[in-house]
């Protein structure tokens, strides 16, 4: 009888000991969800003072949102679009210079001056309409980065033409997630994952001390994933026409507009995911590569294989990955074709 | 003499009782702590299965309505405010709708006639598959 009690107690002790050990071995962590930049963001960090670091992160997001939102007339970009002139902060100056690089790299597949065209399509107000070719033809000359004059010495950005508007929305979330990673590391956080409306960036390892596993949404199946990529210290950013679109007269119009002709990009891709250490680049390139189509995207990657990797899904349901992802990408739903360097 | 010695280890003395009480108390505290950390906390994902096949995993932070149409019938599941609700179902019993919203890890909504199950998962409850969704 007594033996039985002792055995039972030892079992209990061992069992609870295990669970206790598990609890104490887990590091401090905190998660937060917030609404900013017209989307839902989730931030999770592991390390000391996790809550305080998230407070800093939230303040930083708020600051950048106020600064970069086209909808905030008193913000930096709001002021610029309203008056045609503004003193750029360091953040906005960086975004402008990155935009020039991305625009050049992608042969105008990325252009932050596309805003007046987005307005014509109603994508800025959700009052969708299909503008005529003539109307687009009149607006398209405004989509030209040489109409924005930036003086590095004074920090002043000025438009050279009436009606010109700029929007860093195509890289703002990627820039923000990159800033958050810097902020986390400056404050002693080694492991973190953020999703800014589905734009993912990570540092360190997941709670199991493995690479972070990022599932990528399948453009053909809103419940499923096209595959999983295992990464550390990377941004994983997906663009697809399936994210936002409207239909008129049975035709579907999505929100990724080709700056070269002012109409929804139609180059045979339905989803592009860019994986890069640089969140700003990943964000800008995911739309640019979508606009460029597979062949030109492939060429661009071959010029810069160290800058980024990518996953493409074509409208004929083929999935391609760049060679750099060979070891870290898996898919249950597609046959994976590798683009060699 | 010998007999008494052999019988001794089987007799419960007061130290045994104290030890037992201490161990039992420790066990109870551990169980409470364990439950507090895990079973009753808010989930991060919901896994939906249809006829025991995985239909999809969704983030509770992303509001969405999921319509499931099978030969057995139709269900409409809603994710909103971090909660999962069976919004509509044309099943004969309607138990799944009456279940109301769920959000805690391990909670389920079951539509037995249609074999539709929604189960709340923790942030790492699916970790064998993935940590986060890019979309
Ligand atoms: Zn039901």
């Amino acid at each position: 009888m007594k033996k039985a009690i002792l055995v039972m107690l030892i079992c209990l002790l061992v069992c609870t000991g295990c669970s206790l050990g598990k609890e104490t071995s887990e590091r401090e962590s905190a998660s937060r969800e917030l609404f900013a930049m017209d989307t839902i963001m989730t931030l999770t960090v592991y390390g000391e003072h996790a809550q305080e670091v998230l407070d800093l992160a939230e303040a930083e997001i708020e600051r950048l949102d106020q600064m970069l939102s086209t909808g905030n007339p008193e913000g930096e970009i709001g002021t610029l679009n309203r008056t045609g002139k503004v003193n750029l902060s360091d953040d906005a100056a960086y975004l402008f210079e990155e935009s020039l690089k991305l625009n050049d790299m992608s042969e105008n597949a990325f252009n932050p001056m596309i805003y007046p065209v987005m307005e014509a399509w109603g994508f800025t107000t959700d009052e969708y309409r299909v503008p005529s070719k003539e109307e687009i033809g009149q607006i398209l000359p405004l989509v030209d980065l040489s109409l924005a004059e930036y003086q590095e010495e004074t920090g002043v950005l000025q438009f050279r033409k009436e009606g010109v508007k700029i929007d860093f929305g195509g890289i703002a979330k990627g820039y923000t997630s990159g800033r958050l990673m810097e902020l986390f590391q400056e404050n002693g956080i080694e492991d973190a994952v953020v999703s800014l409306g589905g734009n993912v960036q990570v540092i360190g390892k997941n709670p199991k001390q493995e690479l972070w596993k990022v599932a990528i949404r399948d453009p053909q199946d809103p419940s499923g994933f096209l595959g999983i990529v295992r990464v550390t210290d990377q941004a994983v950013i997906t663009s697809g026409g399936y994210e936002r679109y409207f239909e008129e007269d049975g035709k579907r119009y999505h929100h990724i507009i080709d700056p070269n002709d002012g109409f929804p990009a139609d180059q045979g891709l339905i989803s592009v995911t860019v994986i890069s250490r640089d969140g700003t680049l990943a964000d800008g390139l995911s739309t640019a590569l979508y606009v460029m189509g597979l062949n030109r995207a492939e060429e661009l990657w071959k010029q810069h294989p160290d800058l980024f990797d990518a996953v493409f899904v074509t409208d004929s349901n083929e999935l391609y990955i760049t060679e750099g992802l060979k070891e870290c990408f898996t898919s249950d739903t597609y046959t994976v074709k590798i683009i060699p360097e | 003499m010998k007999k008494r010695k052999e019988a001794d280890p089987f007799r419960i003395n007061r130290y045994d009782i104290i030890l037992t009480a201490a161990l039992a108390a420790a066990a109870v505290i551990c169980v409470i702590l364990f439950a507090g950390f895990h079973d009753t906390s808010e989930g991060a994902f919901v896994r939906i299965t249809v006829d025991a096949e995985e239909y999809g995993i969704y983030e509770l932070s992303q509001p969405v309505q999921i319509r499931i149409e099978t030969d057995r019938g139709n269900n409409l599941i809603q994710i909103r405010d971090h909660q999962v609700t069976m919004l509509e179902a044309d099943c004969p019993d309607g138990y799944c709708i009456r279940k109301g919203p769920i959000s805690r890890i391990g909670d389920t909504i079951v539509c037995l006639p249609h074999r539709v199950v929604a189960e709340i998962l923790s942030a790492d409850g699916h970790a064998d598959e993935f940590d986060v969704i890019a979309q």
Side-chain angles (χ1 to χ4, degrees):
Chain A
M1 174 60 194
K2 194 186 160 196
K3 259 186 184 165
I5 291 173
L6 267 179
V7 167
M8 209 180 75
L9 284 174
I10 288 166
C11 280
L12 251 178
L13 187 69
V14 168
C15 294
T16 53
C18 288
S19 66
L20 248 194
K22 190 174 166 244
E23 289 306 332
T24 49
S25 75
E26 273 174 20
R27 296 156 301 160
E28 193 185 328
S29 75
S31 245
R32 192 167 302 179
E33 199 178 301
L34 53 115
F35 289 83
M37 300 183 175
D38 301 321
T39 193
I40 302 175
M41 304 185 168
T42 48
L43 322 175
T44 307
V45 299
Y46 299 83
E48 280 179 46
H49 312 296
Q51 285 295 351
E52 290 94 321
V53 175
L54 285 184
D55 290 339
L56 295 174
E58 192 170 344
E60 177 68 357
I61 291 167
E62 180 85 353
R63 182 182 76 86
L64 292 171
D65 195 7
Q66 293 294 321
M67 176 193 295
L68 301 173
S69 166
T70 52
N72 173 19
E74 301 311 315
E76 215 168 296
I77 301 307
T79 305
L80 176 61
N81 288 341
R82 200 160 37 81
T83 66
K85 189 178 173 182
V86 82
N87 242 315
L88 287 189
S89 61
D90 289 347
D91 298 280
Y94 177 80
L95 288 173
F96 182 70
E97 274 160 7
E98 289 303 298
S99 295
L100 290 176
K101 271 190 226 164
L102 278 161
N103 179 263
D104 186 51
M105 232 172 124
S106 68
E107 294 164 325
N108 198 39
F110 175 88
N111 194 322
M113 315 272 277
I114 193 75
Y115 197 72
V117 178
M118 298 301 278
E119 286 183 314
W121 282 92
F123 282 115
T124 56
T125 53
D126 293 343
E127 287 161 20
Y128 305 125
R129 58 188 278 274
V130 181
S132 68
K133 278 215 163 78
E134 292 71 42
E135 186 183 347
I136 291 295
Q138 280 168 5
I139 306 170
L140 213 53
L142 300 174
V143 185
D144 180 353
L145 271 162
S146 70
L147 296 176
E149 187 182 11
Y150 177 56
Q151 288 187 309
E152 228 170 296
E153 312 80 59
T154 58
V156 171
L157 182 72
Q158 193 163 6
F159 292 150
R160 287 196 177 123
K161 205 168 173 179
E162 193 80 7
V164 167
K165 284 180 184 173
I166 208 164
D167 178 14
F168 291 126
I171 47 176
K173 288 204 282 286
Y175 175 68
T176 303
S177 61
R179 275 291 304 133
L180 293 179
M181 297 302 134
E182 286 175 14
L183 188 148
F184 292 158
Q185 283 170 321
E186 284 161 14
N187 287 280
I189 298 288
E190 285 171 8
D191 307 299
V193 54
V194 303
S195 167
L196 312 189
N199 288 18
V200 171
Q201 194 158 353
V202 302
I203 50 169
K205 303 262 177 69
N206 77 5
K208 290 185 163 178
Q209 293 302 307
E210 306 160 335
L211 295 174
W212 288 101
K213 294 179 188 138
V214 184
I216 303 170
R217 186 62 78 195
D218 187 348
Q220 307 279 47
D221 174 11
S223 308
F225 308 115
L226 61 82
I228 288 175
V229 61
R230 297 187 308 282
V231 291
T232 182
D233 303 336
Q234 304 274 347
V236 181
I237 300 185
T238 298
S239 278
Y242 63 92
E243 294 166 306
R244 246 174 96 212
Y245 60 85
F246 69 97
E247 277 167 18
E248 197 175 291
D249 298 332
K251 199 172 175 331
R252 184 181 279 202
Y253 299 91
H254 64 74
H255 73 293
I256 304 178
I257 303 291
D258 184 345
N260 292 298
D261 66 10
F263 281 83
D266 185 16
Q267 294 298 321
L269 290 173
I270 55 174
S271 161
V272 175
T273 302
V274 174
I275 294 112
S276 171
R277 303 180 80 85
D278 181 342
T280 312
L281 182 91
D283 203 358
L285 275 185
S286 66
T287 25
L289 299 184
Y290 186 98
V291 167
M292 293 169 82
L294 186 60
N295 290 340
R296 288 177 59 212
E298 213 178 303
E299 275 172 43
L300 181 61
W301 174 71
K302 284 176 179 170
Q303 290 163 27
H304 309 277
D306 300 331
L307 273 188
F308 70 96
D309 274 293
V311 180
F312 305 96
V313 182
T314 69
D315 54 11
S316 50
N317 263 330
E318 290 176 306
L319 185 142
Y320 294 87
I321 61 171
T322 55
E323 199 177 351
L325 297 176
K326 205 168 57 181
E327 305 298 332
C328 56
F329 179 84
T330 51
S331 177
D332 293 336
T333 29
Y334 291 85
T335 310
V336 179
K337 296 176 181 157
I338 297 170
I339 300 171
E341 230 184 290
Chain B
M1 268 308 263
K2 222 179 178 184
K3 245 187 177 176
R4 220 182 273 165
K5 260 188 179 168
E6 273 178 2
D8 271 346
F10 290 94
R11 218 174 60 200
I12 299 174
N13 63 33
R14 62 195 189 101
Y15 295 108
D16 291 329
I17 293 169
I18 292 167
L19 182 68
T20 306
L23 286 175
V28 166
I29 289 166
C30 290
V31 166
I32 289 169
L33 278 177
F34 188 78
F37 276 121
H38 290 275
D39 300 340
T40 60
S41 56
E42 296 292 310
F45 295 87
V46 58
R47 171 190 276 129
I48 297 173
T49 57
V50 179
D51 211 359
E53 295 267 309
E54 186 168 297
Y55 185 84
I57 295 182
Y58 304 83
E59 287 166 293
L60 295 187
S61 59
Q62 303 287 328
V64 69
Q65 291 195 350
I66 302 140
R67 192 173 289 281
I68 298 164
E69 295 173 352
T70 68
D71 295 342
R72 292 197 172 81
N74 305 322
N75 295 72
L76 181 64
I77 297 173
Q78 173 179 271
I79 303 175
R80 210 177 82 183
D81 301 332
H82 254 267
Q83 295 185 320
V84 179
T85 315
M86 185 70 73
L87 217 55
E88 294 169 16
D90 54 9
C91 53
D93 58 19
Y95 288 148
C96 55
I97 295 177
R98 264 177 279 161
K99 168 89 180 186
I102 58 169
S103 62
R104 283 168 187 276
I105 294 165
D107 270 358
T108 55
I109 299 176
V110 180
C111 181
L112 214 50
H114 296 170
R115 301 191 185 174
V116 172
V117 179
E119 184 189 5
I120 305 290
L121 304 179
S122 65
D124 59 1
H126 56 81
D128 288 340
E129 294 153 68
F130 62 88
D131 300 303
V132 63
I133 302 170
Q135 54 196 353

